[in-house]
Amino acid sequence: MTSFKHNAALPFLLAMTTLSSCLKSSDEEVPLYPDAAVTSFTLGTMNRYIYVTRKTTGQKDSLVKTTYSGTSYSMNIDQNRGLIYNSQPLPTGTDLAHVLIKVGTKHSSVATLKSLTGDTLRYIGTGDSIDFRQPRVLRVISSDGTYRRDYTVSLNVEQEATADSAFAWSRATEWPDGLLPQADTLSAQWSYGVMADATYQLRLIKTAAPDSCLWRKITAPVGGGDWTLIPQEPENPHRLTAADVTALVVATEPGVSPLHTVAVALMADASTRVSRDEGITWVQAQGYDLPDDCTRLLRAAQQTDGTVWIEDESHRLWKGGVKTDER
């Protein structure tokens, strides 16, 4: 990828325009436009890593790499909110660290990718492999260099039912001393991608308007971040309704390579929702189930070591060890 600072984008674009002009005949002008937008976003060939189980022994073999066409999974472009995402999750085991994309833009505006750690922009070229294990900011710049527009791109990956579970539950007899259950403000924090000392934070304010109370903050090692509102519109089938959530916790994603953690919402009705795009969409998924005999949740919390504690309306207690992968 070719990289440049955002304040250097104008000369960069003008240079490109000048070069294009030289290739044209003297009586043919190259039009420049003051607007920019993403008009199409498609995925290229995707890599997938899955474990194969030997039928004779039942043991898991080595990871097997396969590929599939990403064009089969349509990407939604929300122009109003500046979001690009897939409603149909990609297959479990999809390698999000090496993704090929093709971006169509309006009026020849230039598509760039913002760095995870600063304001550096990279021109998205054919054949560039991009890390989408966390949402990325795609910035398009108008052909005349006067206008820019940002989109947050998130890729969702589904998981299959496996023997592994994000929670290994066991019955408990007493709630830990000093552990306060999540109440009006629910929060979760976890490591951010591959950057050391960087974190995601989610906060769900239950006492606020139920469709506009989820906030996200990304903190990088180079400095702090700002809290950003994640709208939860009523028409969104994958929204998170605050009144129905008892706690937000963090779990290791089972059956996916490379390993990463995700946010899990423990619902009052003892069901779960998982978000693989850091709070934008929430879906039901196997692998995050609460104990079978657990009824409506009364309270829940997560300790700093990752242990999750829950109590149901019958005052039964469980503690859940958040599993790392034991393969």
Side-chain angles (χ1 to χ4, degrees):
M1 292 186 183
T2 301
S3 63
F4 56 95
K5 290 288 186 178
H6 69 277
N7 56 8
L10 180 56
F12 172 80
L13 293 169
L14 291 177
M16 291 178 61
T17 303
T18 301
L19 178 59
S20 299
S21 299
C22 293
L23 299 177
K24 301 287 184 177
S25 61
S26 59
D27 58 349
E28 185 176 357
E29 295 183 357
V30 177
L32 300 179
Y33 298 93
D35 59 349
V38 172
T39 56
S40 65
F41 189 103
T42 55
L43 301 175
T45 299
M46 306 291 290
N47 296 323
R48 184 185 182 199
Y49 295 88
I50 57 176
Y51 282 91
V52 176
T53 301
R54 298 176 183 175
K55 294 182 180 180
T56 55
T57 63
Q59 295 179 344
K60 291 178 180 177
D61 208 340
S62 301
L63 273 176
V64 175
K65 177 183 177 180
T66 61
T67 61
Y68 65 91
S69 176
T71 57
S72 302
Y73 295 81
S74 61
M75 300 294 294
N76 302 309
I77 303 175
D78 188 331
Q79 300 289 358
N80 292 329
R81 295 188 294 164
L83 302 176
I84 301 175
Y85 59 94
N86 56 307
S87 296
Q88 180 184 1
L90 302 174
T92 180
T94 294
D95 179 11
L96 295 185
H98 307 89
V99 178
L100 302 177
I101 64 173
K102 182 178 180 180
V103 182
T105 61
K106 181 180 181 181
H107 288 160
S108 300
S109 47
V110 178
T112 65
L113 194 71
K114 189 176 181 181
S115 169
L116 290 170
T117 58
D119 293 330
T120 301
L121 300 176
R122 293 182 180 274
Y123 171 72
I124 301 175
T126 302
D128 287 336
S129 177
I130 301 174
D131 187 348
F132 279 109
R133 284 177 293 181
Q134 55 274 320
R136 302 297 302 271
V137 174
L138 187 153
R139 175 171 295 174
V140 286
I141 304 171
S142 62
S143 57
D144 70 353
T146 63
Y147 178 78
R148 69 184 187 186
R149 189 171 185 178
D150 286 353
Y151 297 82
T152 299
V153 183
S154 302
L155 298 184
N156 304 316
V157 179
E158 186 55 277
Q159 65 176 40
E160 298 174 353
T162 66
D164 297 327
S165 172
F167 303 107
W169 295 104
S170 60
R171 287 295 298 270
T173 58
E174 187 176 358
W175 189 269
D177 290 338
L179 180 63
L180 298 177
Q182 295 187 23
D184 291 337
T185 300
L186 314 181
S187 62
Q189 177 173 312
W190 66 101
S191 298
Y192 172 42
V194 297
M195 296 192 305
D197 302 323
T199 59
Y200 276 118
Q201 289 178 270
L202 283 181
R203 286 184 180 175
L204 183 62
I205 313 299
K206 297 185 69 174
T207 54
D211 295 320
S212 60
C213 53
L214 185 62
W215 296 79
R216 178 179 65 193
K217 182 179 182 181
I218 301 174
T219 304
V222 295
D226 297 325
W227 285 102
T228 303
L229 177 67
I230 303 176
Q232 301 288 292
E233 290 84 355
E235 63 272 14
N236 176 11
H238 301 301
R239 71 185 185 276
L240 192 65
T241 304
D244 299 331
V245 185
T246 300
L248 290 178
V249 299
V250 175
T252 300
E253 181 97 29
V256 175
S257 177
L259 293 177
H260 61 278
T261 52
V262 292
V264 179
L266 306 183
M267 312 301 288
D269 63 0
S271 65
T272 58
R273 304 286 189 276
V274 62
S275 176
R276 298 187 179 89
D277 53 13
E278 284 62 57
I280 297 176
T281 57
W282 298 80
V283 297
Q284 288 183 300
Q286 295 177 319
Y288 299 94
D289 297 331
L290 299 184
D292 292 337
D293 53 346
C294 178
T295 59
R296 187 173 181 84
L297 286 186
L298 182 63
R299 58 176 177 167
Q302 185 169 34
Q303 294 176 300
T304 55
D305 65 357
T307 303
V308 178
W309 290 80
I310 60 174
E311 179 181 359
D312 68 6
E313 60 184 358
S314 300
H315 299 290
R316 290 172 295 190
L317 294 175
W318 290 267
K319 63 178 180 178
V322 180
K323 295 178 65 176
T324 56
D325 201 296
E326 296 177 352
R327 294 187 179 103

